Amino acid sequence: MRGDQEARERRLRQICPPGLKKFGSVMGIIYIVLLIVLEALLIYIDILPLKYMCIVLVGLTLISLCLVPLLLIKNIKKNKKIPAVVIAVILVLVFALGIAYLGNTLGFFARVFGAGGETVDYDVLVRSSSEYEQVEEIEGKTVGTLALIDTTLSDAKDKLSEEVKVDYDMVDKSAAELCDDLIDQDYEVILLSDASYNTLCEENNSYEDKTKILYTVTVTKEIKSNKEVDVTKEPFNVLISGNDTTGEITDVAKSDVNMIMTVNPKTHKIRLTSIPRDYYVHVPSLDAYDKLTHTGNFGVDTTAETIEELLGIDVNYYVKVNFTCVVELVDAIGGIDVKSDYDFVTSGRQNNGYQFHVGMNHCDGAHALAFSRERHAFPSGDNQRVLNQQKVIEAMIKKCTSSTVILTKYGSILGAVGKYMKTNMSDKNVKKLAKLQLSDMKGWKITKGALVGTGATSTVYSLGSAQCYVMMPDQVSLAEASEGIHKVMKGEK
């Protein structure tokens, strides 16, 4: 009798309470829903190599086949139901985190890759002494504009005409000469891109003093790559264009960092070729000479075509970044180590007097930006600056590809660059590159080259007759840079 009593008590202890049964059923349903969503996102995003995708999907399926029946079947003993519920709760939290990560990835792809768009602001300018206060007051006036083959200028004129009826007079002059015509009262109103106007004001304060912005028209410039390649099989060139701006990166602006990253996926080699911002270059679309940095005022595609002609290469893609992107990305990956060739202290209002020493220096985002921007501390000025910019890029690439940083800091990296980077590379090609890297985690051999030149003064297209500092290209360094790029693309040593 006593044995029967003990057996009954054991059976009673093993019977699941109704509350546990109900909770198990609810967790089972939540588990199944989240599992389906997670697997669907993994398949849709398609960023994992096939072998890893199969391991994940098969593993989840096997675990689920064992776990789900324990959650949903009511007549399961308590000693099996409780562990099943605990495991389910843990996995549900993991699934939710995974779905959040994958959702961020989808949003990141939508914002950054293949977007290829730039916002271009055009300013309606009048003299500072003008009585015009509202755009409606220029009704019937003749507005001076540059004679450019530029769809954004045409769109801006159309958009302005929707607000007020005006006539346009196109002149074959520079932005500076058009502004001079306004100041000299040849025009009462002109229409000029905000990027060009800001450049003029930076170079000569009199433009800001003698003119004012009456109205601003905003248009969008779509830029898509027409030189796409299979990035896992064919070598390609990427223009890294660093804008002298902060915040979200949409507007056209001066291109203060200009670097060609040549990638050969078969040999796992990368070559970084830097070009000084003040390089004196021929701009094909303008058929004029200007500083390379000023080409960014006409759009990243103008910078790309200028570099293509300069180096005799094709630029397949571009990546636009700005100061905020550098700071946020370096901080997101836990800082970088860069090797300095000099002991120096950074100068300038945004560089905060940071100190660097010969040898390795650990940098957070702010220090990395200051290191890459400094030029006054070096005998060779801008020539050394472009070398330091390469060191920062190289350090970021190595940290992301030769360690687990890309996995452990994944969410932080997406958040860091999502608003501050734009590229016309398609998400399809980006996924291919991610799969290539994740499939073997093989490191990349990085070599560097930089164009050099001699400081001089000259007139440039953007500034009209005003003399300004430029760097005259060294033809030997041009030839060496072009040869280095072509060797990497051909797979030669």
Side-chain angles (χ1 to χ4, degrees), residues 179-407:
C179 261
D180 288 338
D181 287 346
L182 174 65
I183 294 170
D184 294 338
Q185 301 187 20
D186 293 333
Y187 292 104
E188 290 188 67
V189 189
I190 64 171
L191 183 66
L192 186 65
S193 77
D194 184 68
S196 294
Y197 178 63
N198 286 336
T199 297
L200 292 176
C201 293
E202 288 172 8
E203 296 288 340
N204 188 336
N205 291 335
S206 67
Y207 286 114
E208 189 171 8
D209 295 336
K210 296 179 180 179
T211 61
K212 66 180 180 181
I213 299 174
L214 184 67
Y215 187 72
T216 298
V217 178
T218 301
V219 295
T220 300
K221 183 175 187 177
E222 293 296 328
I223 305 171
K224 298 186 181 297
S225 175
N226 58 359
K227 298 175 182 177
E228 290 239 25
V229 298
D230 186 335
V231 296
T232 61
K233 298 178 181 178
E234 302 173 66
F236 56 94
N237 290 310
V238 181
L239 166 62
I240 300 175
S241 176
N243 288 356
D244 186 8
T245 60
T246 57
E248 293 191 27
I249 184 164
T250 53
D251 293 352
V252 298
K254 289 190 301 182
S255 183
D256 272 16
V257 177
N258 300 279
M259 189 181 302
I260 295 295
M261 182 169 68
T262 306
V263 181
N264 190 320
K266 288 188 175 181
T267 62
H268 262 246
K269 289 184 178 179
I270 293 174
R271 185 168 182 81
L272 301 177
T273 305
S274 291
I275 311 169
R277 67 185 293 278
D278 293 320
Y279 233 44
Y280 188 69
V281 292
H282 179 253
V283 186
S285 60
L286 301 175
D287 193 22
Y289 283 84
D290 210 327
K291 290 185 181 187
L292 182 59
T293 184
H294 290 167
T295 63
N297 290 338
F298 302 97
V300 68
D301 54 338
T302 301
T303 304
E305 70 173 13
T306 301
I307 293 175
E308 286 181 329
E309 181 181 278
L310 182 70
L311 292 173
I313 62 172
D314 282 338
V315 174
N316 303 94
Y317 308 103
Y318 75 82
V319 175
K320 278 182 65 177
V321 297
N322 62 9
F323 292 164
T324 306
C325 182
V326 174
V327 173
E328 295 286 341
L329 181 55
V330 172
D331 284 340
I333 61 177
I336 57 174
D337 296 314
V338 293
K339 186 176 181 180
S340 176
D341 300 324
Y342 297 90
D343 289 318
F344 68 96
V345 179
T346 59
S347 59
R349 62 184 179 183
Q350 293 178 317
N351 291 339
N352 298 317
Y354 294 125
Q355 292 186 347
F356 294 91
H357 304 285
V358 171
M360 297 304 296
N361 296 261
H362 184 75
C363 298
D364 62 11
H367 282 77
L369 177 62
F371 182 83
S372 65
R373 294 191 68 201
E374 181 58 41
R375 65 185 175 96
H376 297 294
F378 312 121
S380 59
D382 208 34
N383 290 324
Q384 181 63 38
R385 172 162 63 175
V386 297
L387 298 180
N388 287 348
Q389 290 167 355
Q390 290 180 340
K391 292 176 181 180
V392 170
I393 297 291
E394 181 181 14
M396 289 192 290
I397 292 174
K398 285 186 174 180
K399 186 149 189 185
C400 286
T401 59
S402 62
S403 68
T404 58
V405 168
I406 195 67
L407 298 176

Side-chain angles (χ1 to χ4, degrees), residues 33-247:
V33 171
L34 292 184
L35 175 65
I36 293 172
V37 173
L38 179 65
E39 291 184 338
L41 281 173
L42 281 171
I43 295 170
Y44 179 76
I45 292 177
D46 190 27
I47 200 170
L48 289 177
L50 182 60
K51 60 181 180 181
Y52 292 144
M53 181 71 81
C54 290
I55 291 172
V56 171
L57 294 180
V58 171
L60 289 175
T61 300
L62 292 177
I63 292 172
S64 301
L65 288 175
C66 297
L67 187 62
V68 171
L70 297 176
L71 295 170
L72 297 181
I73 296 176
K74 294 182 179 180
N75 296 326
I76 297 293
K77 292 182 178 181
K78 184 179 178 181
N79 63 349
K80 293 182 179 179
K81 178 74 77 171
I82 291 176
V85 169
V86 171
I87 294 172
V89 169
I90 294 172
L91 288 178
V92 162
L93 292 175
V94 172
F95 291 170
L97 184 62
I99 290 169
Y101 266 70
L102 293 174
N104 286 338
T105 302
L106 279 176
F108 178 71
F109 283 153
R111 289 192 304 271
V112 175
F113 299 112
E118 292 181 297
T119 299
V120 187
D121 290 335
Y122 279 87
D123 296 330
V124 178
L125 298 169
V126 297
R127 289 182 293 279
S128 297
S129 59
S130 173
E131 295 181 354
Y132 297 137
E133 295 294 338
Q134 302 293 330
V135 69
E136 291 79 11
E137 296 175 33
I138 66 170
E139 179 87 24
K141 299 297 182 182
T142 298
V143 178
T145 69
L146 298 178
L148 296 177
I149 303 174
D150 190 332
T151 56
T152 61
L153 176 56
S154 179
D155 291 343
K157 289 159 68 175
D158 290 343
K159 197 166 185 179
L160 178 59
S161 294
E162 293 174 4
E163 298 292 328
V164 58
K165 292 182 179 180
V166 293
D167 296 319
Y168 294 102
D169 183 28
M170 293 188 293
V171 294
D172 186 14
K173 294 182 177 181
S174 68
E177 290 168 330
L178 183 60
C179 261
D180 288 338
D181 287 346
L182 174 65
I183 294 170
D184 294 338
Q185 301 187 20
D186 293 333
Y187 292 104
E188 290 188 67
V189 189
I190 64 171
L191 183 66
L192 186 65
S193 77
D194 184 68
S196 294
Y197 178 63
N198 286 336
T199 297
L200 292 176
C201 293
E202 288 172 8
E203 296 288 340
N204 188 336
N205 291 335
S206 67
Y207 286 114
E208 189 171 8
D209 295 336
K210 296 179 180 179
T211 61
K212 66 180 180 181
I213 299 174
L214 184 67
Y215 187 72
T216 298
V217 178
T218 301
V219 295
T220 300
K221 183 175 187 177
E222 293 296 328
I223 305 171
K224 298 186 181 297
S225 175
N226 58 359
K227 298 175 182 177
E228 290 239 25
V229 298
D230 186 335
V231 296
T232 61
K233 298 178 181 178
E234 302 173 66
F236 56 94
N237 290 310
V238 181
L239 166 62
I240 300 175
S241 176
N243 288 356
D244 186 8
T245 60
T246 57

